[in-house]
Amino acid sequence: MQKIGVVGATGYTGFELLRLLSIHDSVELVIATSEKYSGKNVCEVFPSLEKYSSLKFDKFIVENCKDLDLVFCCLPHKVSMNIVPSLLDQGNRVVDFSADYRLKDQMIYQSWYEIEHTSPQLIEKAVYGMPELYRKEIQESQLVANPGCYPTGAILGLVPLAKEGLINPSSIVIDSKSGVSGAGRKESLQFQFSEIEQGFKAYSIANHRHTPEIEQELSNAFGNDVKITFTPHLIPVTRGIFSTIYFEASKKVELPLINETLSEFYAEESFVRIFENQENLDISQVIGTNFVDIKVNFDKRTNRYIMVTVIDNLVKGASGAAVQNMNVMLKISETKGLPNAGFWI
Ligand SMILES: NC(=O)c1ccc[n+]([C@@H]2O[C@H](COP(=O)([O-])OP(=O)(O)OC[C@H]3O[C@@H](n4cnc5c(N)ncnc54)[C@H](OP(=O)(O)O)[C@@H]3O)[C@@H](O)[C@H]2O)c1
C-alpha cells in the first residue's frame, strides 16, 4: 500500500478526493489536514466516510508528510504556492489542485491572478495533469498541476481537432455552465441557496481566469498562439459543467471526419466517451463519474459546428482527474478508484 496525504481535505474537492480514496485498494490515506477541523475525527465531520473512523484531521506540518508516496494539495490558488515548495524540497511528489503551477508563462499567471508568483522556478518543472495529453510526462513528474474544471471539458473536446488542423482557431467560442460547487465550500452570500436557486447568470465575462489555461493548451495543439471567447455561467445545480463550444472548420470537413478524429484520438482512453447517436448529452449522465462525454453537431445553415461536453466538476474536473494522475505517477492501473457508475442515470 502506498501512503497518501491530502492537504486541505475539508473543501469540496478535498471531500470528493477522500470519497474516491476510500474505495481505492492500492493506497492508504494516512494524513488529512485541516486548519478549521484539526483534532476532529474525519467521520465526525463527514459521517459518510466511515472507512476513516480512526483518522483525525491534523494541522499541516510539512515534516509529517516526509514519508508519504504522494501528497494532494486541495488548497486555493495563492495558498498552494506557499506550501508546495516545502513538500517538493523534502522529496514528496505532489498533485496540486490550484492554478498556481498550471500556466507556463509566469507573466500571464501574474496578470490574470494579480499576485507575484513566489516559486516561479517550479513552473517549468510542473506537468499539466491531463493524462490523455501528457501521460508519459506525468509518470515521471514530481509536481503535477491538476487542470481547472472549465478547461477540462473544453480542452479534451477541441485538442484532437486542433492537432489535425480541422478547426479555424479564430472561430472558437466556449459557453460553459457550472454547478455551484465549482466555487468551493467557503461561506459567501452570492452562493447561498436563496441567491442562486431561481437564477442563471453569466459571470467574469471576457476575463475569467480559466481563459489563459484553455488558450495555453489549444495554442500547443495548434502550434500557434490562439485566443478564444469564453463565457462561464452559474446554474442552480450542485455539480456538473455543461459546455457548448462553437467553431468553424478550417477547410471543407464533414461531421463523420470530426467524429472519426475524436474517436481515434481517444480509442485507448477509459474516461473520454464520444457520442454520435444519442440525441442530447445531460450533465446527469456523468455526475459521480470520471467521464468526459463529447458530442458534435453540425449546423448546415451557418456551416458551424456545435460541440457539447459534460463533466462532473468535482470528479473529472478535479478529484477524479487527480486520482487518475496519482495512478499514473505511482504506476497503478489508471482506472483504479474511479467508479464509472454515476449517482443518477
Ligand atoms: N470546486 C471545484 O469544482 C474545483 C475544480 C477544479 C479545481 N478546483 C481547485 O481546487 C482547489 C480547492 O477547491 P475547493 O473547491 O475544494 O475549495 P474549498 O471548498 O473552498 O476548500 C479549500 C480548503 O482549503 C483549506 N484552506 C487552507 N488554507 C486556506 C486559506 N488560506 N483559505 C481558504 N481555504 C484554506 C480549507 O480547509 P480548512 O479550513 O479545513 O483548512 C478549505 O476547506 C482550489 O484551488 C480550486 O480552484 C476546484
Side-chain angles (χ1 to χ4, degrees), residues 66-137:
K66 194 159 178 33
D67 296 328
L68 300 180
D69 296 293
L70 191 134
V71 179
F72 293 101
C73 257
C74 306
L75 299 168
H77 63 271
K78 303 177 189 173
V79 180
S80 215
M81 68 180 160
N82 295 328
I83 281 179
V84 169
S86 61
L87 288 163
L88 297 185
D89 278 350
Q90 69 175 9
N92 290 120
R93 300 182 81 190
V94 173
V95 176
D96 181 44
F97 279 50
S98 83
D100 288 348
Y101 301 100
R102 292 181 202 149
L103 295 172
K104 292 292 166 200
D105 183 328
Q106 181 189 348
M107 294 307 151
I108 292 182
Y109 174 86
Q110 293 183 167
S111 78
W112 283 82
Y113 287 85
E114 296 167 331
I115 188 174
E116 192 164 336
H117 205 298
T118 53
S119 50
Q121 74 285 1
L122 297 179
I123 294 175
E124 202 184 328
K125 202 178 165 120
V127 174
Y128 192 67
M130 201 167 261
E132 292 80 1
L133 305 185
Y134 300 109
R135 183 167 287 112
K136 266 206 183 106
E137 295 86 337

Side-chain angles (χ1 to χ4, degrees), residues 10-13 34-35 74-76 79 97-98 181-182 184-185 313 317-318:
T10 62
Y12 281 148
T13 62
S34 165
E35 300 304 304
C74 306
L75 299 168
V79 180
F97 279 50
S98 83
S181 61
R185 200 165 171 233
N313 57 297

